[in-house]
């Protein structure tokens, strides 16, 4: 047998440190705006030139077996340096210049264009260098050798460009992941602070008390009892409690809000037997937080009656709590905004801390309802 309980709730009516932080945020935002960094801000032109000269020396040393004298070695080093300088520096300028256009494109398409630019610049610069060498008598013109050399330089430039682009893309994804992690942590800390004493809930409760003290002192006394019980649990922080206690906290919260809401809320509880609930546990204020968000983002946004259905099951060593909220039919609810406001990252983290990584809180928003499922493992000691 299951206990079926339904409640209808009725009420009345509805400087310096900061500048440094801003600079750091602006710098991070600049690095996150595009996966390719501003290449000429990574290093100055002279630093790029220094690296080009060192790389040219390395390439020349690798091919030294083809060079018979030091004069040939120096000529080869000079030609290689000129080739890479003409191929790399103008392309770096061009990539930075085209950043506003590239930022609007798909990363794959941008990568293709950048690889193509480096290939073309390498081909053009190598063609010029080889023509100068032929005119100077340092190289004998051979059509096949000329074509193979250009093809080799194109493939070589494309390969190195792809390697750097993959590195930039990986670093960009790491920064995005780090940013998202920081945002989640900041949101978690903010929500934890709000969970202790939500200003929205606190001031609404104070207003209800002020109106009841004069008009209905007995109700004011009952309201204070509900507030005392709920705030005591809130200030105790996250912890594991008996499921019956969590249901009682939800009832305290709903009783408090009943003094403020009009005939706008019907809550149906579908609970297991008391003997089963006696053995169940949950992290404090988890279910209460879900109900609170539904009231703030749905019930308070309409004058229609909102039905909330809460079903609790404990089967196969897992507790599944389904909170279904029927959206109003006459009041416009923006689905995109609702999806943003029914994120339970903090509550899910609390569940995972106490019950393991498989614990989840997932909300599904449709045009007609919001369904939030709290799912976490709980070993049945009686089995």
């Amino acid at each position: 047998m299951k206990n079926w309980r339904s409640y209808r709730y009725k009420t009345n009516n509805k400087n310096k440190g900061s500048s440094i932080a801003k600079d750091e945020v602006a710098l991070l935002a600049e690095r996150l705006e595009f996966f390719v960094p501003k290449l000429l801000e990574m290093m100055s032109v002279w630093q790029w030139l220094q690296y080009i000269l060192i790389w040219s020396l390395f390439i020349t040393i690798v091919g030294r077996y083809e060079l018979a004298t030091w004069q040939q070695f120096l000529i080869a080093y000079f030609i290689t340096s000129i080739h890479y300088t003409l191929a790399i520096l103008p392309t770096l300028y061009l990539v930075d210049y085209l950043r506003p256009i590239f930022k609007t494109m798909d990363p794959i398409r941008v990568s293709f264009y950048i690889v193509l630019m480096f290939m073309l610049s390498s081909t053009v610069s190598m063609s010029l260098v080889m023509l100068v060498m032929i005119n100077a008598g340092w190289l004998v013109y051979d059509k096949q050798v000329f074509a193979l050399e250009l093809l080799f330089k194109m493939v070589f430039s494309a390969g190195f460009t792809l390697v750097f682009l993959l590195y930039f893309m990986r670093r960009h994804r790491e920064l995005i992941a780090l940013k998202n992690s920081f945002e989640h942590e900041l949101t978690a800390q903010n929500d934890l602070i709000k969970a202790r004493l939500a200003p929205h809930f606190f001031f609404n409760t104070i207003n209800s008390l002020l109106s009841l003290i004069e008009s209905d002192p007995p109700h004011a006394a009952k309201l204070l009892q509900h507030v005392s019980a709920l705030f005591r649990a809130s200030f105790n922080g996250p912890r594991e409690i008996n499921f019956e206690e969590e249901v009682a906290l939800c009832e305290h919260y709903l009783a408090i809000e009943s003094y403020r809401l009009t005939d706008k809320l019907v809550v149906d509880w579908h609970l297991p037997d008391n003997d089963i609930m006696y053995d169940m546990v949950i992290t404090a204020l988890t279910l209460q937080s879900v109900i609170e968000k539904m009231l703030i983002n749905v019930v308070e946004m309409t004058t229609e009656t909102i039905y909330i259905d809460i079903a609790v099951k404990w089967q196969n060593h897992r507790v599944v709590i389904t909170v279904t909220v029927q959206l109003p039919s006459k009041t416009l609810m923006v689905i995109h905004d609702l999806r943003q406001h029914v994120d339970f990252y903090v509550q899910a983290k609390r569940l995972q801390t106490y019950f393991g990584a498989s614990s989840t809180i997932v909300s599904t928003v449709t045009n007609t309802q919001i369904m939030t499922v709290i799912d976490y493992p709980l070993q049945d000691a009686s089995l």
Side-chain angles (χ1 to χ4, degrees):
M1 291 290 295
K2 293 185 178 179
N3 297 330
W4 297 76
R5 295 190 283 178
S6 177
Y7 300 93
R8 180 174 294 272
Y9 299 95
K10 303 178 181 179
T11 60
N12 296 330
N13 298 323
K14 198 176 176 185
N15 327 35
K16 184 184 288 186
S18 61
S19 65
I20 295 175
K22 288 179 181 178
D23 292 339
E24 293 177 352
V25 171
L27 179 61
L28 179 60
E30 173 67 22
R31 295 178 65 186
L32 290 173
E33 68 176 1
F34 189 47
F35 76 99
V36 178
K38 289 186 177 179
L39 299 172
L40 290 175
E41 289 187 4
M42 290 178 58
M43 296 187 296
S44 65
V45 176
W46 293 109
Q47 287 176 314
W48 278 109
L49 188 58
Q50 180 182 356
Y51 276 93
I52 290 171
L53 294 176
I54 294 173
W55 176 249
S56 300
L57 179 61
F58 171 76
I59 294 296
T60 307
I61 292 174
V62 170
R64 70 186 184 282
Y65 61 89
E66 298 177 352
L67 308 173
T69 64
W70 277 104
Q71 183 180 4
Q72 291 178 340
F73 180 86
L74 292 176
I75 292 173
Y77 174 58
F78 174 74
I79 291 171
T80 305
S81 301
I82 295 298
H83 162 60
Y84 284 118
T85 301
L86 293 177
I88 294 174
L89 288 182
T91 310
L92 296 181
Y93 275 108
L94 187 58
V95 170
D96 284 352
Y97 178 76
L98 295 175
R99 280 177 65 86
I101 299 175
F102 284 158
K103 285 191 294 185
T104 62
M105 297 182 183
D106 180 80
I108 302 298
R109 191 177 177 186
V110 172
S111 300
F112 171 77
Y113 284 139
I114 292 177
V115 170
L116 185 62
M117 288 163 56
F118 273 99
M119 288 175 63
L120 290 176
S121 65
S122 178
T123 304
V124 171
S125 62
M126 193 62 195
S127 300
L128 292 174
V129 168
M130 291 182 71
L131 290 174
V132 171
M133 290 175 64
I134 292 170
N135 290 329
W138 296 343
L139 181 67
V140 178
Y141 176 74
D142 185 305
K143 184 177 181 180
Q144 184 177 1
V145 173
F146 190 88
L148 288 175
E149 186 69 21
L150 293 182
L151 181 61
F152 173 76
K153 293 299 181 182
M154 286 178 62
V155 174
F156 190 77
S157 300
F160 264 83
T161 306
L162 281 174
V163 168
F164 278 101
L165 287 174
L166 290 173
Y167 170 77
F168 290 149
M169 192 171 291
R170 179 181 176 183
R171 288 290 300 158
H172 184 258
R173 288 173 179 171
E174 290 175 352
L175 286 173
I176 292 293
L178 187 62
K179 171 180 174 288
N180 291 337
S181 176
F182 282 151
E183 287 180 348
H184 275 306
E185 292 299 327
L186 289 174
T187 302
Q189 294 176 13
N190 188 42
D191 285 349
L192 283 174
I193 293 172
K194 288 181 178 179
R196 292 294 180 89
L197 189 62
H200 174 89
F201 174 67
F202 176 75
F203 288 115
N204 286 337
T205 304
I206 293 297
N207 290 334
S208 298
L209 279 170
L210 289 175
S211 63
L212 286 173
I213 285 174
E214 294 183 0
S215 62
D216 195 344
H219 277 177
K222 290 181 180 179
L223 180 61
L224 278 174
Q225 292 177 357
H226 293 305
V227 170
S228 175
L230 185 62
F231 275 58
R232 186 182 302 112
S234 176
F235 280 106
N236 285 336
R239 67 195 190 285
E240 185 181 296
I241 64 173
N242 184 273
F243 195 82
E244 289 180 330
E245 294 182 56
E246 177 70 5
V247 173
L249 290 175
C250 293
E251 292 177 354
H252 285 305
Y253 171 72
L254 291 169
I256 294 168
E257 292 288 49
S258 70
Y259 291 97
R260 189 174 55 84
L261 299 171
T262 52
D263 229 354
K264 292 169 55 176
L265 178 62
V266 175
V267 179
D268 288 330
W269 293 86
H270 309 267
L271 299 173
D273 291 335
N274 291 331
D275 292 340
I276 297 177
M277 279 207 302
Y278 180 81
D279 295 325
M280 294 173 62
V281 291
I282 192 173
T283 49
L285 301 176
T286 297
L287 181 55
Q288 182 272 334
S289 298
V290 173
I291 296 173
E292 182 177 7
K293 282 199 175 185
M294 298 308 162
L295 262 64
I296 293 174
N297 294 292
V298 180
V299 179
E300 294 187 6
M301 299 300 171
T302 181
T303 57
E304 301 176 47
T305 300
I306 300 299
Y307 295 87
I308 299 180
D309 186 87
I310 304 172
V312 182
K313 294 182 180 179
W314 187 16
Q315 294 177 347
N316 301 323
H317 305 299
R318 295 196 73 87
V319 175
V320 179
I321 307 168
T322 305
V323 181
T324 306
V325 180
Q326 301 300 324
L327 296 179
S329 57
K330 299 179 182 178
T331 305
L332 175 64
M333 307 294 288
V334 181
I335 304 302
H336 175 71
D337 292 342
L338 283 178
R339 288 195 181 100
Q340 289 183 327
H341 290 111
V342 292
D343 176 36
F344 298 103
Y345 175 79
V346 177
Q347 290 79 5
K349 280 293 183 183
R350 285 191 219 155
L351 277 178
Q352 291 170 5
T353 300
Y354 286 89
F355 301 104
S358 64
S359 305
T360 59
I361 303 180
V362 179
S363 281
T364 303
V365 182
T366 66
N367 292 328
T368 58
Q369 66 178 17
I370 303 175
M371 180 179 290
T372 303
V373 178
I374 305 171
D375 185 354
Y376 60 96
L378 184 61
Q379 188 72 26
D380 192 344
S382 63
L383 296 179

